[in-house]
Amino acid sequence: MVTPAKMAAAASLDSDSCVAQSNEANSKWLDAHYDPVADIHTFSACLALADLHGDGEYKLVVGDLGPGERQPRLKVLKGPTVLTESPLPALPAAAATFIMEQHEPRTPALALASGPCVYVYKNLRPYFKFSLPQLPPNPVEQDLWNQAKEDQIDPLTLKEMLEGIREKAEVPLSVQSLRFLQLDLSEMEAFVNQHKSKSIKRQTVITTMTTLKKNLADDDAVSCLVLGTENKEILVLDPEAFTILTKMSLPGVPVFLEVSGQFDVEFRLAAACRNGSVYILRRDSKRPKYCIELSAQPVGLVRVHKILVVGSTQQSLQGFTYKGKKLWTVQLPAAILTMNLLEQHSRGLQAVMAGLANGEVHIYRDKALLNVIHTPDMVTSLCFGRYGREDDTLIMTTKGGGLIIKILKRTAVFVEGTGEVGPPPAQATKLDVPRKTRLYVDQTLREREAGTAMHRAFQTDLYLLRLRAARAYVQALESSLSPMSATDREPLKLHAVVQGLGPTFKLTLHLQNTSTARPMLGLLVCFLYNEALYALPRAFFKVPLLVPGLSYPLETFVESLSSKGISDMIKVLVLREGHSAPLLSVHISMPVSEGLVAA
């Protein structure tokens, strides 16, 4: 018997399946594989896709961190299954594939950075191990261990002095000393007896790694390894001899690297460091050429064409040029956990993928949101490229160790503005444009028919305007009508202020010597006015010494004599003794005397 409850449950299941099918149909991705217990714990820098055997079948290389007490491992996946698995001596920092030889067939090699070493594999077999050069130890630390070797100091004194060095010295302690400082008092003497005969070694570790083309930009061209180290250096390795080709210094420890160009021609390198800055270096620079100071710590760095996209802990993506100019900022709904590049070669698309803490993956081209992918768990690593025999495959690992593989549909087209970020919807609203009037149509026809003549008339008027302006400027210079001196020998500036309602006005002249170091002496001030309208106590007086840079106020009083409310102009001339031509002049339009008008 079919009950109403069963009918409702069946209806709800049918509706849920219909919604899932509609979401699958509307999605741009095909769900190829999802394994929530794949036991893969890594981040984006330790993922790489490559045809390791030259058979056209691309594999996934994973540097597994091995959470808990498990040993880190190197895993190679073919499809959803693990092909090979080998242990690693230390936690992996980065993984990269590169062509190291010009011989055919050009099978890529695998480089895995772990601790102070780079392990190189060919055909998934160990090929070469490169170790970072050792650093010089702290001389004070070396002297202390020499004294301990000769039993001149006891372990407790050694511990106290090493702790003082760790707090104050610029050169950090060696691993041997750091391990010694972590021991209890009962274990110190045995440790000193065991290690006092050994020489102190200070070794740095690799923090990040990427590849740089050697001399060609082809996909199968030989590439160099670029390493970022804990001692604030960047090393470029030769792909064949594994020697250090060049070394660059940074103000901070690099954690993300982006490189473009070729080593033998020209390249640019961007390094995001722990001090909250992004440094840009070029081929001929041993130190950074540009610096981008961020307001928060970087959590990712991706190069999209010629733009550097930086993700920060303030839940934002920021776009910068290689000269440090900020182009745009996008606020995200949650914190960024990982970032990587999405490059679709068939459509020439480059975009940024950002895995967020709310279980979403946002895809941006510049600041336009292209797509949002919802995942069952927080994504900790992203990788996009050719996997197996599919060109556009997205591989994601989750915080719980899951593996998600999605394939981009061949008919999928990313359209800008599908998300909330971008121009407001009101921008797409059509304006209510009024209908064209008869006058507008007539003017349009007239402009089409007489366009050449109208342009010639406009050009003629423009040339006449320029000519009149030039003539007026020359006349002002010749007659010193400008309030600023036109000669470099007497650099002066003058402006006047009239105060009062009348019939008596206060006239203040502000005269300034604009030269940098030369004082001026022997200047005169003369007033020209209509004596029937105005009276001045002094129409001619000398100017005191003018010190450079100071403005001197020269005050006088003007009395209006007309009772008819008539005003006129007063000319102020500044002259040099023995010269008739004025240095500069000011024409003052006097106001009407309100006192006489009211009377």
Side-chain angles (χ1 to χ4, degrees):
M1 180 177 180
V2 181
T3 62
K6 291 183 178 180
M7 293 178 62
S12 64
L13 288 174
D14 292 341
S15 63
D16 291 343
S17 62
C18 291
V19 170
Q21 291 177 2
S22 64
N23 292 336
E24 177 70 20
N26 296 331
S27 175
K28 295 179 174 59
W29 303 90
L30 296 174
D31 294 329
H33 177 71
Y34 174 50
D35 183 4
V37 290
D39 196 24
I40 297 177
H41 300 84
T42 185
F43 46 93
S44 298
C46 291
L47 291 181
L49 293 168
D51 182 10
L52 299 176
H53 296 96
D55 55 357
E57 190 83 13
Y58 278 65
K59 280 84 174 178
L60 174 66
V61 179
V62 180
D64 197 326
L65 303 177
E69 297 181 357
R70 287 182 295 174
Q71 187 178 10
R73 307 186 73 82
L74 171 64
K75 298 180 179 180
V76 178
L77 280 76
K78 180 180 180 181
T81 60
V82 178
L83 187 63
T84 60
E85 189 174 349
S86 56
L88 294 174
L91 288 174
T97 58
F98 67 108
I99 302 294
M100 56 182 297
E101 297 175 341
Q102 297 182 355
H103 306 297
E104 297 291 342
R106 295 194 177 185
T107 305
L110 168 64
L112 188 78
S114 177
C117 302
V118 177
Y119 301 93
V120 181
Y121 298 82
K122 288 195 69 175
N123 296 321
L124 294 181
R125 295 180 180 178
Y127 177 77
F128 188 81
K129 174 186 174 183
F130 171 80
S131 299
L132 294 177
Q134 294 185 3
L135 302 177
N138 192 317
V140 182
E141 177 191 5
Q142 181 73 52
D143 183 60
L144 289 176
W145 281 101
N146 290 337
Q147 294 181 25
K149 180 179 180 180
E150 299 174 0
D151 297 329
Q152 296 180 0
I153 57 174
D154 56 87
L156 187 60
T157 306
L158 177 63
K159 179 182 178 181
E160 294 177 355
M161 300 188 73
L162 287 176
E163 286 179 347
I165 296 175
R166 182 173 62 176
E167 295 175 357
K168 299 179 181 179
E170 296 181 358
V171 180
L173 296 177
S174 62
V175 177
Q176 177 177 320
S177 298
L178 293 175
R179 288 179 179 175
F180 174 73
L181 293 177
Q182 295 175 349
L183 300 176
D184 297 331
L185 292 175
S186 59
E187 302 173 343
M188 288 183 181
E189 186 173 356
F191 185 87
V192 171
N193 293 332
Q194 181 181 358
H195 294 86
K196 64 182 181 180
S197 60
K198 299 179 181 179
S199 59
I200 296 178
K201 298 179 181 180
R202 192 166 69 89
Q203 186 76 54
T204 186
V205 295
I206 300 171
T207 57
T208 181
M209 179 177 67
T210 186
T211 58
L212 169 65
K213 299 295 183 182
K214 184 76 166 59
N215 46 27
L216 296 175
D218 300 338
D219 293 336
D220 59 347
V222 176
S223 301
C224 305
L225 291 178
V226 183
L227 310 178
T229 64
E230 189 72 32
N231 62 324
K232 305 177 183 180
E233 288 184 343
I234 292 178
L235 308 178
V236 180
L237 303 184
D238 183 84
E240 296 181 352
F242 290 98
T243 56
I244 299 176
L245 296 177
T246 186
K247 183 184 296 185
M248 304 177 184
S249 299
L250 293 172
V253 179
V255 289
F256 301 104
L257 290 177
E258 280 293 339
V259 186
S260 62
Q262 298 91 43
F263 178 80
D264 291 339
V265 184
E266 178 63 35
F267 69 87
R268 290 181 179 180
L269 188 148
C273 299
R274 289 192 194 138
N275 59 359
S277 299
V278 179
Y279 300 97
I280 290 96
L281 302 96
R282 304 189 70 171
R283 182 177 185 273
D284 54 351
S285 60
K286 298 297 181 182
R287 292 192 172 274
K289 190 174 182 65
Y290 301 100
C291 173
I292 303 172
E293 294 184 358
L294 305 175
S295 57
Q297 287 292 326
V299 295
L301 177 66
V302 176
R303 178 180 63 88
V304 181
H305 298 297
K306 295 184 179 181
I307 299 176
L308 293 174
V309 181
V310 183
S312 69
T313 54
Q314 292 180 336
Q315 302 182 11
S316 65
L317 291 176
Q318 301 176 17
F320 297 90
T321 65
Y322 267 99
K323 291 187 177 180
K325 181 182 178 182
K326 188 175 181 180
L327 299 177
W328 46 264
T329 302
V330 174
Q331 286 297 132
L332 300 177
I336 303 174
L337 299 182
T338 184
M339 291 173 55
N340 214 332
L341 176 68
L342 184 150
E343 186 172 9
Q344 188 181 9
H345 295 282
S346 60
R347 299 186 183 273
L349 171 69
Q350 283 191 355
V352 177
M353 302 182 295
L356 307 183
N358 61 353
E360 294 179 351
V361 177
H362 287 211
I363 301 175
Y364 288 91
R365 178 164 57 190
D366 292 336
K367 60 179 181 180
L369 179 61
L370 300 182
N371 190 234
V372 176
I373 302 173
H374 299 275
T375 56
D377 193 4
M378 290 184 289
V379 173
T380 56
S381 67
L382 294 164
C383 186
F384 184 87
R386 183 178 175 87
Y387 186 44
R389 298 189 181 275
E390 287 291 335
D391 289 331
D392 303 322
T393 306
L394 175 60
I395 300 171
M396 300 176 282
T397 64
T398 62
K399 185 178 179 180
L403 175 65
I404 304 174
I405 301 177
K406 290 180 178 289
I407 300 174
L408 184 65
K409 294 180 180 179
R410 290 180 173 84
T411 58
V413 178
F414 291 106
V415 180
E416 295 184 6
T418 55
E420 297 179 357
V421 179
Q427 185 171 323
T429 305
K430 293 185 178 181
L431 298 176
D432 188 11
V433 181
R435 297 181 61 185
K436 297 178 182 179
T437 61
R438 182 62 184 175
L439 177 62
Y440 172 81
V441 175
D442 293 342
Q443 290 292 337
T444 305
L445 294 175
R446 172 178 168 270
E447 291 176 1
R448 288 180 180 175
E449 295 173 356
T452 305
M454 293 172 66
H455 177 70
R456 289 175 180 173
F458 170 75
Q459 291 292 330
T460 303
D461 294 341
L462 180 61
Y463 291 145
L464 289 176
L465 178 62
R466 291 175 178 172
L467 178 61
R468 289 171 185 169
R471 286 177 177 174
Y473 180 66
V474 172
Q475 184 180 0
L477 293 179
E478 292 178 349
S479 58
S480 300
L481 296 178
S482 173
M484 294 188 67
S485 177
T487 61
D488 295 335
R489 297 183 59 185
E490 291 90 6
L492 295 171
K493 185 169 69 173
L494 174 67
H495 74 277
V497 178
V498 180
Q499 296 173 307
L501 300 176
T504 302
F505 299 93
K506 182 180 178 181
L507 177 60
T508 305
L509 304 176
H510 295 274
L511 187 61
Q512 182 180 0
N513 178 8
T514 58
S515 67
T516 57
R518 184 166 58 89
M520 301 188 67
L521 188 63
L523 300 180
L524 304 172
V525 173
C526 176
F527 296 92
L528 299 180
Y529 56 93
N530 189 347
E531 297 182 359
L533 299 177
Y534 299 105
L536 276 76
R538 290 188 306 165
F540 186 85
F541 58 86
K542 289 187 177 182
V543 178
L545 175 70
L546 298 181
V547 178
L550 297 181
S551 179
Y552 289 82
L554 307 175
E555 299 177 351
T556 186
F557 292 92
V558 180
E559 185 176 356
S560 179
L561 305 177
S562 175
S563 60
K564 300 179 180 179
I566 301 175
S567 64
D568 198 4
M569 185 178 293
I570 296 179
K571 298 180 181 179
V572 183
L573 308 177
V574 179
L575 305 100
R576 165 77 69 179
E577 280 191 54
H579 295 77
S580 59
L583 300 177
L584 51 87
S585 64
V586 172
H587 293 191
I588 304 171
S589 297
M590 296 298 295
V592 177
S593 177
E594 298 183 8
L596 293 176
V597 172

